[in-house]
Amino acid sequence: AQSVTQLGSHVSVSEGALVLLRCNYSSSVPPYLFWYVQYPNQGLQLLLKYTTGATLVKGINGFEAEFKKSETSFHLTKPSAHMSDAAEYFCAVRGAPSGGYNKLIFGAGTRLAVHP
Amino acid sequence: DGGITQSPKYLFRKEGQNVTLSCEQNLNHDAMYWYRQDPGQGLRLIYYSQIVNDFQKGDIAEGYSVSREKKESFPLTVTSAQKNPTAFYLCASSPGPKTQYFGPGTRLLVL
């Protein structure tokens, strides 16, 4: 079965500090992995995704993530936090196909706070 | 502009009332989805549809119904059988299995 664990429901960093949001997954099929960001009362916006190929994936707004198969991890990083990065972040993994359909399985989310 | 629209932004439901949430996309995507979001629980799949006139139950379909009469539209009805409907509802669409794109959401509140 597929599952996603996001370590830390709340993360707080100073402006300019490194952002590290952790995501571990389990998957019975080759994983497709995703990070989405959600601002208050808005939908989810895709930050980046890993499907195949290069394991270091770059996304929007200066974020990147590295797929590590041996650690079953897909942690999200940004070298220098900005106040506008304050939001909730969701990691997701593709589920096993069923009837030709691949569902997305989401983690519980990590709320990132950025303080001056 | 291409995208996914959801309406209304806020919806109030009275006891015993059915309400319908709208989701429209002009991305020409075949697949559409409805998710429910509760604080601290991530997103849970309610229903999905891969093609017109076909849809499947997700993980929490009880108390909900959908239709898919047009490729662009996938409305969700929250029926009176859903005893705890207060949540943020998100619609998504995808061209294939790799990426889902989300609408802005509808917040449903019970009066």
Side-chain angles (χ1 to χ4, degrees):
Chain A
Q2 280 66 33
S3 67
V4 175
T5 301
Q6 291 185 239
L7 296 174
S9 58
H10 291 81
V11 171
S12 182
V13 300
S14 299
E15 191 173 21
L18 171 72
V19 175
L20 171 60
L21 304 182
R22 299 177 187 273
C23 173
N24 288 89
Y25 71 92
S26 68
S27 179
S28 57
V29 298
Y32 290 173
L33 295 157
F34 307 83
W35 275 101
Y36 286 88
V37 61
Q38 184 180 37
Y39 298 99
N41 291 311
Q42 295 187 26
L44 274 66
Q45 180 183 9
L46 181 68
L47 273 179
L48 48 80
K49 64 182 178 184
Y50 168 81
T51 54
T52 57
T55 57
L56 182 62
V57 180
K58 295 185 184 299
I60 62 172
N61 301 338
F63 284 93
E64 62 182 37
E66 187 171 11
F67 168 58
K68 292 187 176 181
K69 185 177 179 180
S70 61
E71 298 177 8
T72 62
S73 69
F74 191 57
H75 301 331
L76 182 70
T77 60
K78 182 175 180 178
S80 177
H82 192 273
M83 297 296 288
S84 61
D85 294 327
E88 189 152 22
Y89 292 80
F90 292 93
C91 182
V93 66
R94 175 188 66 158
S98 173
Y101 164 72
N102 289 109
K103 67 187 290 184
L104 281 185
I105 297 165
F106 287 86
T110 297
R111 187 169 299 276
L112 175 67
V114 182
H115 52 85
Chain B
D1 279 2
I4 302 170
T5 58
Q6 292 187 241
S7 61
K9 188 173 177 65
Y10 295 94
L11 185 58
F12 298 91
R13 193 189 93 163
K14 297 179 181 178
E15 291 287 338
Q17 185 181 39
N18 293 355
V19 293
T20 297
L21 286 62
S22 170
C23 177
E24 303 277 334
Q25 55 99 0
N26 61 5
L27 301 168
N28 200 34
H29 289 170
D30 286 319
M32 297 186 73
Y33 317 82
W34 274 105
Y35 291 90
R36 171 178 171 142
Q37 185 179 20
D38 295 281
Q41 294 193 43
L43 278 70
R44 292 181 289 168
L45 183 65
I46 305 172
Y47 268 98
Y48 64 95
S49 168
Q50 297 185 78
I51 56 172
V52 174
N53 293 322
D54 184 64
F55 48 83
Q56 305 295 329
K57 292 181 179 180
D59 300 318
I60 56 164
E62 185 174 353
Y64 300 97
S65 65
V66 294
S67 62
R68 186 85 187 275
E69 297 177 359
K70 298 186 299 181
K71 188 175 186 177
E72 306 79 33
S73 178
F74 192 40
L76 173 74
T77 296
V78 184
T79 74
S80 57
Q82 173 50 244
K83 297 306 180 188
N84 184 24
T86 298
F88 192 49
Y89 291 86
L90 288 159
C91 178
S93 70
S94 68
K98 291 188 179 180
T99 307
Q100 292 183 19
Y101 299 90
F102 285 80
T106 292
R107 188 165 298 281
L108 177 60
L109 301 165
V110 176
L111 293 176

